[in-house]
Amino acid sequence: MLRELARAGLDAVALEAGAHLTSQDFDQREDRMLAELYQDAGARTTEDLAIRVLQGRGVGGSTVHNTNLCKRTPDEILELWSRKYGIADVRPSDLRAAFETIERDLSVSEMEPALRNANNEILRAGCEALGWRGGPLHHNRIGCVQSGFCELGCSYDAKQNAVKVLLPQAVRAGARVYSDVEAVGIVHDGRAVAGVRGVARGADGQPRAAVEVRARIVVLAASAVGSAALARRSGVPDPHGTLGRGLRMHPGAVVVGRFDQRVYGWRGIPQSYECTELLSHEEGSDKRVWIVTAFAHPIGAAVTVPGFGASHMAAMRSYPNLAVLTAMVHDETSGEVLLDADERPVIRYKMVERDRAQLAIGLAACARLLFAAGAQEVTIPAVAPVRLANARALEAVDLSVVRPHSVPLTAVHPMGSMCMGQDPRASVVRSTGEHHQLRGLFVADGSLFPTSIGVPPQISIYAFALHLARHAIERARAS
Amino acid sequence: MGRFLAYLEHAAPLASGFGSRFSRLDPAKQDEVLSSVEASQSELLRAGFEGIKSLVFMGYYRDARTWRAVGYDGPWVGRPADGWQ
């Protein structure tokens, strides 16, 4: 969006609360990089502590730490948004040009078999043995050395992401990007925006100066959590109580398989293959599970492995022999972004039974895939861990143990807290991306989505920003 | 987190039938107390346990001496010629 505004000749300014880090800053150490690259130093959770929420912070946002998966918004989802939510110009044919542009800009390509590490090869082998639907994923990397440290930032600058590709293009077109400046309020009179108030911070995190940007339009791009929180603390008109509601988390949990052979799951590109056997994007579908690999470096792994002490250490000693899969739920649960007394975001999300059941189905499927690929033992981490010696043992397992507060849940794709729609009583922004009540306020991130999309959202977010940019440009010129 | 630590030190041992503060129990009894907190009926206590576990393992598994024990060869950036010790 910033690039499009600048290329249209507008004076475009971006404020980013976090720092501007580059490949030299990324040292591949979990303890340091989690704190640098993630909101709340990687410790963000839902209000009830059931779901860990990993969201990026700093110039480039989550595109600095993500694993570069590139999937378009499924056609069924776009058709649903057009049909049920009355959103104009979002049929697949309307978005095609935007998808093609962003995929070209980010050099998106299919990951060929030579790029597949052993963990992903196990997922492929499991799919083939069971006859389940699966296939290679697409990514945006050039010059990848397959170090496997993607989630800690790329030390080799191989990610064709916002900070490497799009922001430099925006700056060349005349945009200004300010890091270490937190937007704390949208300036408005209840009818139209007038700018943004911010706080510039030093390296120690302490406030150094107040900042005010006077502007004819303001574009929120602070994520489904951050954008809704900023709108709330700014007192953006909300006559129908829709702001912050409709939050989807795309939550997931993991299943661990132990193999006779070494897997070295931390080496190589983390995610290159997907299983879509249990994923269909039709509304109300009872197949809403996306399965990919989810290997973690030692701190992440140690936190997920059940227990502590000697038994935990014994499990960790088989670290090189583990393969890990995750099932993420294309969720129907509707959460909410609120503010606490210090105006910090609060994520309220109570998983509904239909989603919990999907999660249980998904974890059982992960276990089947691991056994089909030759696992000696499979564990579903839970408060009482489920340990399985073979696929048949699954039939005897009571899958009601798969629930929030029992299995550790993680969400990396929050979306839908300021959703688009035709009806102002049921949505926050119009089909143009502009707020129903507040003229000049636009949204250009995953907050827009009225439902989960059930796949990683980065390409959808970029494409919607491109797709909606002309409306923001028109408003800026008309004001 | 401070309140959870106070609970662990003073109240949790009593709940497991031990009349001493946590830090003065022998390791086997400490494990017993931790196991009961880990499997507690209370979601808040379980979350507190997970929080402590995350902090402890953050410290433990950031150390190259632990990497060797679990067969992890560590970051490429700054790796010594003969590997992390």
Side-chain angles (χ1 to χ4, degrees):
Chain A
M1 177 64 85
L2 185 73
R3 184 188 74 179
E4 301 308 300
L5 299 178
R7 283 181 175 174
L10 297 165
D11 186 7
V13 175
L15 304 183
E16 163 55 48
H20 179 207
L21 300 178
T22 60
S23 53
Q24 287 81 33
D25 301 306
F26 305 141
D27 67 4
Q28 306 181 332
R29 288 172 173 269
E30 289 174 281
D31 51 324
R32 285 204 281 266
M33 290 298 108
L34 278 173
E36 293 281 354
L37 297 180
Y38 293 81
Q39 295 287 345
D40 304 337
R44 178 169 281 186
T45 65
T46 51
E47 182 184 30
D48 64 358
L49 307 173
I51 308 179
R52 187 174 185 213
V53 184
L54 292 172
Q55 294 192 272
R57 156 170 217 285
V59 175
S62 290
T63 74
V64 175
H65 76 248
N66 74 13
T67 50
N68 297 76
L69 299 185
C70 296
K71 285 179 78 77
R72 293 186 183 187
T73 323
D75 286 354
E76 298 88 337
I77 297 286
L78 294 173
E79 296 286 5
L80 174 71
W81 292 356
S82 171
R83 190 177 69 241
K84 183 169 172 184
Y85 297 89
I87 303 171
D89 306 324
V90 289
R91 306 283 306 281
S93 55
D94 300 319
L95 265 300
R96 190 171 302 135
F99 286 131
E100 286 170 358
T101 300
I102 195 62
E103 287 168 354
R104 196 167 51 241
D105 289 344
L106 302 183
S107 309
V108 173
S109 65
E110 182 178 300
M111 281 181 268
E112 49 199 81
L115 296 178
R116 205 175 291 149
N117 74 359
N119 197 168
N120 283 274
E121 192 52 33
I122 282 167
L123 174 57
R124 185 203 59 78
C127 281
E128 291 198 354
L130 295 172
W132 285 7
R133 191 170 62 193
L137 289 158
H138 289 68
H139 72 157
N140 56 321
R141 293 182 181 90
I142 292 181
C144 173
V145 299
Q146 301 181 50
S147 74
F149 290 93
C150 311
E151 92 282 14
L152 306 179
C154 183
S155 307
Y156 312 97
D157 211 16
K159 293 184 173 187
Q160 300 300 106
N161 58 13
V163 69
K164 179 181 176 187
V165 178
L166 302 175
L167 288 172
Q169 290 174 349
V171 169
R172 276 199 295 279
R176 287 172 285 161
V177 180
Y178 293 97
S179 68
D180 305 285
V181 179
E182 182 185 6
V184 296
I186 301 158
V187 183
H188 65 88
D189 62 4
R191 292 190 305 276
V193 300
V196 175
R197 283 182 296 105
V199 175
R201 296 182 194 279
D204 55 2
Q206 293 305 308
R208 288 283 189 280
V211 173
E212 184 165 344
V213 182
R214 293 190 195 93
R216 295 194 294 268
I217 65 163
V218 171
V219 182
L220 287 170
S223 88
V225 175
S227 290
L230 180 57
R232 270 192 185 275
R233 67 189 280 186
S234 306
V236 165
D238 183 26
H240 306 292
T242 52
L243 176 57
R245 291 185 189 270
L247 181 74
R248 305 299 200 276
M249 300 297 284
H250 203 210
V254 300
V255 179
V256 183
R258 188 172 53 75
F259 287 75
D260 274 344
Q261 75 273 22
R262 300 271 187 203
V263 176
Y264 298 119
W266 66 90
R267 294 182 185 164
I269 292 177
Q271 293 166 324
S272 54
Y273 198 88
E274 64 178 345
C275 171
T276 52
E277 178 69 16
L278 296 172
L279 185 61
S280 129
H281 287 97
E282 300 296 336
E283 189 184 19
S285 164
D286 57 2
K287 286 188 172 182
R288 292 185 284 115
V289 177
W290 184 59
I291 296 174
V292 287
T293 59
F295 210 85
H297 286 98
I299 293 174
V303 169
T304 308
V305 166
F308 61 91
S311 68
H312 186 273
M313 191 68 214
M316 285 300 290
R317 281 189 195 280
S318 44
Y319 183 59
N321 293 57
L322 303 180
V324 183
L325 300 182
T326 182
M328 291 189 209
V329 177
H330 173 40
D331 51 338
E332 295 176 349
T333 303
S334 181
E336 188 173 5
V337 177
L338 303 158
L339 297 177
D340 68 12
D342 300 322
E343 301 200 304
R344 302 270 311 145
V346 171
I347 304 168
R348 186 167 293 168
Y349 185 93
K350 299 281 178 209
M351 187 183 281
V352 298
E353 170 56 25
R354 273 177 56 82
D355 286 347
R356 191 211 63 78
Q358 287 293 310
L359 186 70
I361 289 167
L363 297 192
C366 289
R368 282 199 185 90
L369 286 162
L370 288 163
F371 281 123
Q376 296 302 304
E377 183 192 48
V378 169
T379 303
I380 301 177
V383 168
V386 179
R387 297 188 202 282
L388 305 160
N390 53 54
R392 259 212 316 279
L394 259 177
E395 290 160 25
V397 172
D398 174 8
L399 286 174
S400 70
V401 301
V402 176
R403 61 173 193 277
H405 292 291
S406 172
V407 299
L409 296 170
T410 302
V412 293
H413 304 142
M415 38 195 152
S417 57
M418 298 184 73
C419 71
M420 285 189 287
Q422 189 179 40
D423 182 356
R425 289 162 302 178
S427 59
V428 179
V429 304
R430 304 156 189 256
S431 299
T432 57
E434 189 172 23
H435 194 267
H436 278 300
Q437 287 85 24
L438 194 57
R439 194 171 69 233
L441 180 65
F442 285 81
V443 178
D445 61 22
S447 314
L448 289 168
F449 305 160
T451 67
S452 164
I453 60 173
V455 296
Q458 71 164 344
I459 291 297
S460 299
I461 293 169
Y462 285 130
F464 268 87
L466 284 178
H467 181 63
L468 301 176
R470 65 193 160 97
H471 301 296
I473 292 164
E474 267 169 39
R475 174 62 74 204
R477 285 180 174 152
S479 296
Chain B
M1 193 49 78
R3 270 162 55 205
F4 178 76
L5 282 174
Y7 169 84
L8 196 60
E9 176 70 358
H10 301 290
L14 289 173
S16 290
F18 301 121
S20 159
R21 54 198 293 173
F22 181 85
S23 55
R24 296 200 188 125
L25 292 171
D26 66 53
K29 286 176 180 160
Q30 287 181 338
D31 280 5
E32 222 177 294
V33 173
L34 287 174
S35 292
S36 73
V37 176
E38 183 184 26
S40 163
Q41 292 295 313
S42 156
E43 288 170 358
L44 208 61
L45 287 182
R46 290 211 305 273
F49 174 87
E50 293 301 325
I52 293 286
K53 178 173 161 178
S54 296
L55 282 177
V56 169
F57 285 144
M58 176 83 82
Y60 193 64
Y61 282 95
R62 72 185 293 281
D63 194 306
R65 289 168 296 183
T66 315
W67 298 344
R68 173 150 295 207
V70 300
Y72 171 61
D73 48 4
W76 292 17
V77 171
R79 184 187 289 181
D82 53 349
W84 293 102
Q85 299 303 311

